[in-house]
Amino acid sequence: MDKRKIILSVLGLLLIVGAVFAAKWIIDSNVKKDPEIQKVVKNVFVKTVKNDTVPISIPANGNVSALRKLELYSEVQGIFRSSSHNFLPGQEYKRGQVLLNIDSAEYAASVQSAKSDLYNSITAIMPDLRLDYPEVFEKWQDYLNNFDINKSVPNLPEIENDKEKYFISGRGIVSAYYNIKNLEERLRKYTHVAPFDGILTEALVKEGTLIRSGQKLGEFIDPSVYELQVSIAKKFSDLLAIGKEVKLQNLDRTQEYTGTVSRINGRVNLETQTIQVFIRVEGQNIQEGMYLEAMLDAKEEPNALEIPRELLVERSKVYVVKDSVLDLVRVEPVYFSTETVVVKGLEDGTRMLAASVPGAYAGQLVNAEEIEDTAKTE
């Protein structure tokens, strides 16, 4: 029994020692070694900074409108009878041609009747003038001789003294004369005549249409001269002057024009703090309502650099390369445009990133490759 206990004790001890060594071996085999850190060198493009005088242009846009535009409204009522041409959009008219003629037969007859009444009234006072005012008889006789009912009523003879004035006015001749003048003026409103060479851009009525007083008939413009209205910031208003040339281009940037500042509004918009600037422009390819963009030369910034906005970090910093390592330096933004920003504060010869690098950070190791400044070569 004693030997058996000794053997079992020894076996148990050996088993425990073996288990300890086995556990240690398992633990040691599961320990992972830390991988060696491999330094990744990222390839980047850089360009050498060369400060220069940068012209700052303010972009502004708007729709072109004809400088001379006539909205046609009717002040009388009647049937649209005729026009010199077909009253349709796109139709051209020369100065003096009839744009629109409204039937005025009934009204014209009333004007003729009023002229006849005036002629009869003057004829009725002629015997009295011969007897009482022989010195003025001849001029009134000449007036009657030149009176044509089919023409505009001529001006009354000049009244020389109070006696003649009281006599003529007392017979109602003066009031009748001015009443006819009023009727004749209204009769002219039945005919719309082109005041200048132009084109009809809008036609809202057709021949035979009943036109009512106050109704809009269409729109007539002069297609030779246009005006572009743009709004610019108040701080740039003192840099513009009437007569200054402005470069313009269409929305697709396929056509360029040259305009001239014709007017500057003296009032500042309270909400946007902008000022309206009107640019006169002429050109064969320009049409009413066309969208144009203007580049207003505001000023020139010396010792500055224009870079893409995507290179600006936190609105005031850019990445530069020093000894193959990225560094973040502060700059002074001077002017922001849609795609670029003008900055100051970089020394000539500094190597800055030419394109944004995702995940870039200060201290990052890079392999820099120099490229040409495409902004200068374009």
Side-chain angles (χ1 to χ4, degrees):
M1 287 296 291
D2 293 339
K3 288 182 178 181
R4 184 179 179 184
K5 288 182 180 179
I6 294 172
I7 293 172
L8 290 174
S9 299
V10 172
L11 289 176
L13 182 61
L14 292 175
L15 185 61
I16 292 172
V17 172
V20 170
F21 278 102
K24 186 176 183 303
W25 178 80
I26 293 174
I27 293 173
D28 291 341
S29 63
N30 287 333
V31 175
K32 295 181 179 180
K33 294 182 179 180
D34 293 333
E36 295 182 1
I37 299 176
Q38 296 182 354
K39 295 184 178 180
V40 178
V41 180
K42 201 160 192 175
N43 295 322
V44 297
F45 295 103
V46 297
K47 64 179 179 181
T48 302
V49 172
K50 185 178 180 181
N51 290 293
D52 200 355
T53 299
V54 180
I56 296 179
S57 297
I58 309 168
N61 49 65
N63 293 95
V64 169
S65 179
L67 185 61
R68 291 201 291 178
K69 180 188 298 185
L70 180 65
E71 290 188 345
L72 303 175
Y73 283 90
S74 176
E75 297 183 59
V76 296
Q77 180 171 311
I79 302 295
F80 177 14
R81 287 303 184 195
S82 62
S83 175
S84 296
H85 303 286
N86 293 327
F87 194 77
L88 296 171
Q91 180 63 56
E92 295 182 354
Y93 287 84
K94 296 294 183 181
R95 179 179 179 180
Q97 288 185 330
V98 176
L99 293 171
L100 187 141
N101 189 22
I102 302 173
D103 185 11
S104 61
E106 182 179 353
Y107 192 82
S110 66
V111 176
Q112 295 293 80
S113 176
K115 291 180 182 179
S116 178
D117 290 341
L118 176 63
Y119 183 85
N120 293 336
S121 298
I122 296 176
T123 303
I125 67 169
M126 293 307 290
D128 294 332
L129 286 176
R130 182 188 291 272
L131 294 174
D132 300 332
Y133 307 98
E135 69 278 6
V136 300
F137 175 80
E138 285 296 329
K139 67 179 181 183
W140 284 98
Q141 185 63 52
D142 291 339
Y143 182 81
L144 284 179
N145 293 338
N146 294 323
F147 195 99
D148 189 346
I149 197 171
N150 295 317
K151 297 180 180 179
S152 177
V153 61
N155 294 332
L156 290 175
E158 184 178 352
I159 297 177
E160 300 176 359
N161 52 60
D162 291 341
K163 289 183 179 181
E164 180 186 3
K165 176 181 177 182
Y166 297 149
F167 180 80
I168 298 300
S169 299
R171 298 301 188 277
I173 293 174
V174 175
S175 60
Y177 166 78
Y178 284 111
N179 180 58
I180 293 173
K181 282 296 185 181
N182 182 53
L183 295 176
E184 287 181 337
E185 188 63 32
R186 186 166 182 80
L187 182 61
R188 294 190 184 95
K189 299 181 185 298
Y190 283 83
T191 302
H192 291 260
V193 178
F196 47 79
D197 293 351
I199 185 172
L200 199 66
T201 57
E202 185 180 32
L204 303 177
V205 293
K206 296 181 179 180
E207 291 188 19
T209 302
L210 173 61
I211 296 174
R212 302 186 183 279
S213 178
Q215 179 179 348
K216 186 176 181 179
L217 309 176
E219 190 174 82
F220 185 69
I221 68 167
D222 179 0
S224 62
V225 184
Y226 292 91
E227 197 170 57
L228 175 67
Q229 176 184 329
V230 297
S231 297
I232 65 169
K234 171 65 176 65
K235 62 181 179 180
F236 296 116
S237 61
D238 58 339
L239 302 173
L240 293 174
I242 295 176
K244 187 173 183 179
E245 289 191 352
V246 179
K247 295 180 181 179
L248 306 172
Q249 59 187 3
N250 61 357
L251 187 61
D252 299 327
R253 299 187 176 181
T254 57
Q255 295 285 339
E256 292 186 353
Y257 310 93
T258 300
T260 305
V261 177
S262 58
R263 291 180 291 130
I264 300 176
N265 198 339
R267 185 180 67 179
V268 178
N269 188 302
L270 295 177
E271 297 180 356
T272 61
Q273 288 297 295
T274 58
I275 291 180
Q276 291 177 324
V277 177
F278 299 88
I279 303 170
R280 180 177 177 141
V281 58
E282 302 178 18
Q284 295 182 349
N285 298 326
I286 300 178
Q287 294 178 320
E288 173 80 5
M290 183 177 179
Y291 181 91
L292 289 181
E293 183 179 33
M295 299 301 295
L296 306 174
D297 294 332
K299 62 177 180 178
E300 294 184 345
E301 190 66 43
N303 196 30
L305 181 69
E306 187 174 16
I307 63 174
R309 291 189 63 163
E310 62 185 20
L311 297 183
L312 198 63
V313 181
E314 298 175 0
R315 294 184 64 85
S316 61
K317 299 176 182 178
V318 294
Y319 280 110
V320 298
V321 177
K322 295 180 180 179
D323 299 328
S324 299
V325 176
L326 284 183
D327 189 17
L328 196 60
V329 298
R330 186 175 296 275
V331 293
E332 178 188 354
V334 177
Y335 174 73
F336 288 88
S337 67
T338 306
E339 299 177 352
T340 63
V341 57
V342 178
V343 299
K344 302 183 73 172
L346 288 174
E347 296 182 359
D348 288 344
T350 302
R351 302 172 72 199
M352 66 169 292
L353 289 186
S356 60
V357 177
Y361 58 90
Q364 184 178 10
L365 190 64
V366 294
N367 180 26
E369 181 179 349
E370 186 81 19
I371 65 170
E372 292 184 0
D373 190 354
T374 55
K376 298 289 184 185
T377 58
E378 287 181 354

